[in-house]
Amino acid sequence: MARPLRIEYPGAYYHVSTRGNERKAIFRDDRDRERLLELLGRAVKDFHLRLHGYVLMSNHYHLLVETPRGGLSRALRYLNGVYTQAFNRRHRRVGHLFQGRYKAILVDKDAYLLELSRYIHLNPWRVKRSYDPFKYRWSSLQAYVGAAVVPGWLTVKEVLSEFGSRGKRGYRKFIVEGMKDSIQTPWEEVRGQVVIGSEEFVGKVAERHLGGRRERRGEQSRIKEIVAVKPEAVIREIERYYGIKGEELRGRGRHYTEPRYVASYLLRRHCLMGLREIGEQVGLHYSAVGNAVRQLTDRPTGSQAKSLRRMEAKFKNP
């Protein structure tokens, strides 16, 4: 499957994550973690970044990064490359440390910066519910709530400004609220593997990223051109999983309700298709497509949830 494009431009915000090769540890002790933070601080300065949050776990890390001048890929090549060299020298090993290339999700900061900051800071708690995220040393949370000095390469003002005069107290309460099971993570809103934001934001990104191209009649919209998953790939996976053909998917029999509903959800989430377009693919009225997407988003049946888990694994970044 084709990889999602790297969408880079000055002023963009990203959620970046990198995992160890074969999910193995990328930090063996605190000295390794301190080394990565040292390099991260250097990258912020040398590549003119603004870092809004981070967390270092045993086999991966997360960053919330702003690129006032662009250049995310250069900064990440430096960070991961130099860290790998230092790690290999220290531990007398050779070969890749990280699993493929990093993931970088473009973020609609007006809608998701705050939620993604919380998601990053709650990672230790999600891994092990007995962890107190406020006591976890290897994240920026302590700096956010006043329990540690804010390093010069970390920016906390933009997120804290969302809480007005309450500042650090408000953010601490926000984190505690995020530890309730009823609050979903913002990853549920990732669209097309590359962007998290509203349709308006996605449209603006597409216009900026591909604005120099002319659209010809019959050509796919520029929004869809930034998406790695193609509708044909989703339909093929539906056919394979349920053992049916495309014409059967568009049939009206009740036997095909789940395949049509699951296909609707996948086409909407991973291909950014309109409801009418999806309806033509699965044989449903556009209003029924909307109902199907909402139902699978909010309250999927056990069978639907199982099918989605298995099929969506095919559409993740390699």
Side-chain angles (χ1 to χ4, degrees):
M1 185 175 297
R3 291 174 171 177
L5 296 176
R6 290 292 192 222
I7 304 173
E8 297 188 13
Y9 57 84
Y13 289 70
Y14 301 90
H15 177 282
V16 174
S17 59
T18 303
R19 288 193 174 276
N21 194 32
E22 298 179 337
R23 297 184 177 270
K24 294 180 180 178
I26 59 175
F27 307 110
R28 294 188 181 178
D29 54 27
D30 288 352
R31 186 174 166 186
D32 286 339
R33 295 179 180 88
E34 288 166 354
R35 179 59 171 159
L36 184 77
L37 291 182
E38 176 190 339
L39 293 171
L40 185 56
R42 193 180 302 172
V44 167
K45 178 182 178 181
D46 292 350
F47 296 93
H48 309 285
L49 307 178
R50 296 183 75 205
L51 181 68
H52 296 275
Y54 69 88
V55 65
L56 311 184
M57 305 301 292
S58 62
N59 67 353
H60 67 282
Y61 68 74
H62 295 268
L63 309 175
L64 189 52
V65 182
E66 178 187 355
T67 58
R69 301 188 187 181
L72 179 72
S73 58
R74 290 185 295 112
L76 267 293
R77 279 200 302 270
Y78 164 81
L79 177 64
N80 288 348
V82 175
Y83 179 74
T84 296
Q85 293 170 10
F87 185 92
N88 284 353
R89 280 196 305 269
R90 181 172 179 234
H91 298 292
R92 298 181 180 181
R93 68 181 297 276
V94 295
H96 298 293
L97 177 62
F98 295 106
Q99 180 179 299
R101 61 182 195 165
Y102 60 91
K103 287 185 180 181
I105 304 297
L106 188 64
V107 177
D108 179 354
K109 75 178 185 71
D110 293 332
Y112 289 100
L113 185 66
L114 195 58
E115 286 291 345
L116 283 168
S117 173
R118 177 164 66 180
Y119 172 83
I120 286 172
H121 288 145
L122 282 178
N123 256 260
W125 174 79
R126 286 196 177 88
V127 170
K128 191 174 182 180
R129 294 301 171 98
S130 62
Y131 283 172
D132 182 345
F134 295 104
K135 295 181 180 179
Y136 189 74
R137 179 181 171 190
W138 302 105
S139 87
S140 48
L141 180 57
Q142 291 188 344
Y144 264 88
V145 299
V149 175
V150 180
W153 41 266
L154 178 66
T155 300
V156 301
K157 290 183 178 179
E158 185 165 357
V159 171
L160 291 181
S161 67
E162 296 290 326
F163 299 93
S165 61
R166 293 180 298 146
K168 296 173 183 177
R169 293 193 313 273
Y171 191 76
R172 176 182 283 274
K173 181 180 178 182
F174 180 64
I175 293 294
V176 171
E177 290 173 349
M179 297 169 73
K180 299 175 182 176
D181 291 336
S182 59
I183 295 181
Q184 294 184 329
T185 71
W187 279 115
E188 299 302 318
E189 304 299 323
V190 173
R191 309 182 62 169
Q193 305 185 73
V194 294
V195 61
I196 178 169
S198 64
E199 291 193 21
E200 180 182 6
F201 176 75
V202 174
K204 288 180 179 179
V205 168
E207 186 69 29
R208 174 177 291 189
H209 187 63
L210 298 166
R213 295 187 55 172
R214 292 183 179 181
E215 288 187 351
R216 298 184 298 273
R217 181 172 298 183
E219 185 181 21
Q220 285 188 317
S221 74
R222 283 173 287 188
I223 291 178
K224 297 193 194 93
E225 290 183 62
I226 68 172
V227 181
V229 180
K230 301 301 181 185
E232 300 80 34
V234 171
I235 296 301
R236 282 198 302 270
E237 184 58 26
I238 290 288
E239 292 175 338
R240 185 202 64 78
Y241 184 85
Y242 288 104
I244 61 176
K245 297 186 180 298
E247 55 268 24
E248 294 176 300
L249 180 65
R250 291 185 290 273
R252 300 293 178 179
R254 293 178 57 132
H255 177 68
Y256 302 112
T257 296
E258 180 175 313
R260 290 201 299 268
Y261 273 38
V262 171
S264 296
Y265 176 88
L266 293 173
L267 290 169
R268 183 65 169 171
R269 179 172 183 182
H270 293 285
C271 306
L272 306 185
M273 293 176 66
L275 300 183
R276 292 182 186 274
E277 292 177 284
I278 295 173
E280 293 173 0
Q281 292 278 348
V282 302
L284 290 173
H285 189 270
Y286 72 87
S287 62
V289 171
N291 291 335
V293 173
R294 283 191 294 273
Q295 190 253 306
L296 266 72
T297 300
D298 298 334
R299 52 184 190 285
T301 66
S303 176
Q304 291 169 345
K306 178 180 178 181
S307 299
L308 285 176
R309 283 195 302 271
R310 291 185 174 182
M311 277 185 275
E312 283 197 292
K314 304 285 186 179
F315 307 131
K316 292 181 179 179
N317 290 357

